[in-house]
């Protein structure tokens, strides 16, 4: 079984039916669907992403983190002359609608922005009324400290046994997953994109934490980074995902094949590959 543990319902680009066709073409059984967090993102040249990836995994890591943090300004992504608005109140209702129509193909994580006054209401609605099975929060784009601003949400996740997926920022506050784990030691925490922007500098701590994992989704990574994450953390700590639709763009349509190849080509046993493709995530779900 293959489960995509991280994909977005960017309705300005892709529909649920588009996802299902793309899933069927590559044997994807189910997708963890998340609300859109941004307006349309134009294609980004691989060399630009490659430069940032190099900086974040080299002795120039501090410079890389500063560049990474600087990309978000005034509620927008501003890299490369682009000005892409970040959604402050994600449309979880649309995700819930897709799940109700196709429950056998999609499950949802409710996206919570803890800087909003109704954050806990969004959480409760998503979990109790809409049947979401986890939570996603974006510390980088929504500019918050996971160990303080997100603490009420994290504690509710801990109480209810729900996984919490966080995309970290690169600052002392926006990247503070360690402080969150100290306050919520039983929290099931997944760090998006192999714990970008920290990558290897965080993997040692992640490996020590019983309930901390990474996903290997998105165009921030490549096959080499996926291999390094699995080698450093072990197959038990890694979850397959796409961060679609952006990372699924292929020709004039969408395909899982390029990003799925990262996991198919890993030098691991079939049982470990199965853990990455679905088993690890399934163990975290309530």
């Amino acid at each position: 079984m293959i489960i995509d543990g991280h994909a977005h319902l960017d309705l300005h680009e892709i529909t649920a039916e588009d996802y299902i066709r793309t899933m069927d073409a590559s044997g994807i059984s189910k997708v963890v669907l998340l609300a859109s967090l941004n307006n349309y993102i134009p294609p980004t040249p691989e060399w630009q992403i490659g430069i940032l990836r190099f900086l974040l995994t080299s002795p120039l890591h501090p410079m890389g983190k500063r560049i990474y943090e600087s990309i978000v300004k005034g509620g927008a992504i501003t890299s490369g002359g682009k000005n892409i608005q970040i959604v402050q109140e994600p449309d979880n209702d649309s995700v819930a609608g897709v799940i109700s129509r196709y429950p056998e193909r999609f499950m949802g994580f409710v996206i919570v922005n803890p800087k909003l006054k109704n954050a806990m209401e969004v959480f409760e609605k998503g979990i109790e009324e809409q049947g979401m099975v986890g939570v996603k929060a974006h510390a980088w784009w929504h500019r918050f400290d996971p160990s303080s601003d997100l603490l009420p949400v994290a504690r509710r996740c801990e109480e209810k046994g729900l996984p919490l997926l966080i995309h970290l920022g690169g600052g002392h506050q926006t990247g503070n997953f360690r402080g969150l784990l100290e306050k919520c030691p039983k929290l099931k925490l997944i760090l998006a994109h192999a714990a970008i922007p920290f990558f290897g500098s965080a993997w040692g701590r992640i490996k020590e934490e019983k309930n901390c994992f990474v996903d290997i989704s998105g165009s921030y990574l490549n096959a080499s980074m996926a291999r390094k994450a699995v080698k450093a953390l072990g197959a038990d700590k890694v979850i397959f995902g796409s961060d679609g639709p952006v990372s699924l763009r292929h020709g004039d349509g969408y395909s899982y094949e390029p990003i799925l190849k990262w996991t198919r080509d890993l030098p691991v046993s079939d049982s470990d590959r199965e853990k990455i493709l679905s088993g690890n995530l399934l163990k975290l779900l309530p």
Side-chain angles (χ1 to χ4, degrees):
M1 173 185 282
I2 305 175
I3 299 175
D4 178 354
H6 185 156
H8 293 270
L9 184 64
D10 292 356
L11 288 171
H12 49 263
E13 179 170 357
I14 194 168
T15 66
E17 291 73 24
D18 291 330
Y19 262 118
I20 290 171
R21 283 190 291 271
T22 308
M23 292 159 65
D24 287 346
S26 294
I28 308 295
S29 300
K30 208 161 189 176
V31 164
V32 172
L33 200 59
L34 312 164
S36 178
L37 279 163
N38 49 267
N39 291 347
Y40 177 77
I41 297 179
T44 303
E46 170 57 28
W47 66 265
Q48 289 186 5
I49 300 171
I51 290 173
L52 181 60
R53 190 186 300 128
F54 167 77
L55 291 173
L56 291 173
T57 55
S58 75
L60 298 173
H61 183 252
M63 179 190 298
K65 284 199 301 180
R66 288 195 296 271
I67 293 171
Y68 174 85
E69 277 288 280
S70 72
I71 290 171
V72 177
K73 294 179 181 177
I77 305 160
T78 59
S79 176
K82 304 168 187 171
N83 196 291
I84 301 159
Q85 289 300 304
I86 294 167
V87 177
Q88 300 299 320
E89 297 186 59
D91 181 13
N92 294 298
D93 291 346
S94 290
V95 172
V98 169
I99 295 167
S100 67
R101 295 203 308 275
Y102 303 108
E104 72 286 355
R105 304 309 302 272
F106 298 98
M107 53 186 138
F109 280 21
V110 59
I111 296 187
V112 178
N113 179 354
K115 301 301 285 289
L116 301 180
K117 293 181 179 179
N118 69 338
M120 292 310 299
E121 294 175 18
V122 171
F123 172 92
E124 297 296 343
K125 179 181 178 181
I127 301 303
E128 302 299 338
E129 298 179 22
Q130 297 176 323
M132 306 283 192
V133 295
V135 178
K136 163 74 183 290
H138 208 305
W140 181 31
W141 287 3
H142 288 156
R143 317 303 296 164
F144 62 81
D145 183 338
S147 74
S148 56
D149 299 317
L150 195 60
L151 191 57
V153 171
R155 283 183 169 152
R156 285 291 284 145
C157 286
E158 195 175 31
E159 290 169 6
K160 298 181 74 64
L162 299 169
L164 172 59
L165 170 64
I166 302 179
H167 186 144
L168 296 171
H172 292 299
Q173 293 183 323
T174 58
N176 191 12
F177 77 96
R178 294 171 178 85
L180 180 62
L181 287 172
E182 289 168 5
K183 295 176 181 178
C184 299
K186 295 181 180 179
L187 176 67
K188 299 173 184 177
L189 180 62
I190 306 169
L191 299 178
H193 318 302
I196 195 173
F198 300 97
F199 291 137
S201 65
W203 291 345
R205 176 62 183 273
I206 293 166
K207 190 170 184 176
E208 293 173 358
E209 295 286 344
K210 178 182 178 181
N211 296 315
C212 193
F213 304 80
V214 303
D215 75 29
I216 49 171
S217 67
S219 53
Y220 301 102
L221 309 185
N222 59 13
S224 175
M225 283 297 300
R227 285 195 303 271
K228 289 175 182 177
V230 173
K231 183 177 180 181
L233 292 166
D236 291 338
K237 289 284 194 174
V238 178
I239 293 167
F240 170 74
S242 71
D243 198 26
V246 173
S247 59
L248 298 178
R249 292 172 181 165
H250 187 71
D252 294 329
Y254 303 95
S255 175
Y256 272 97
E257 290 305 307
I259 202 165
L260 192 56
K261 192 174 188 296
W262 300 354
T263 302
R264 285 175 172 158
D265 288 351
L266 287 171
V268 299
S269 66
D270 289 344
S271 61
D272 280 348
R273 200 179 329 276
E274 183 70 16
K275 291 176 184 178
I276 295 167
L277 290 172
S278 60
N280 293 335
L281 177 62
L282 289 172
K283 288 181 180 179
L284 298 181
L285 298 177

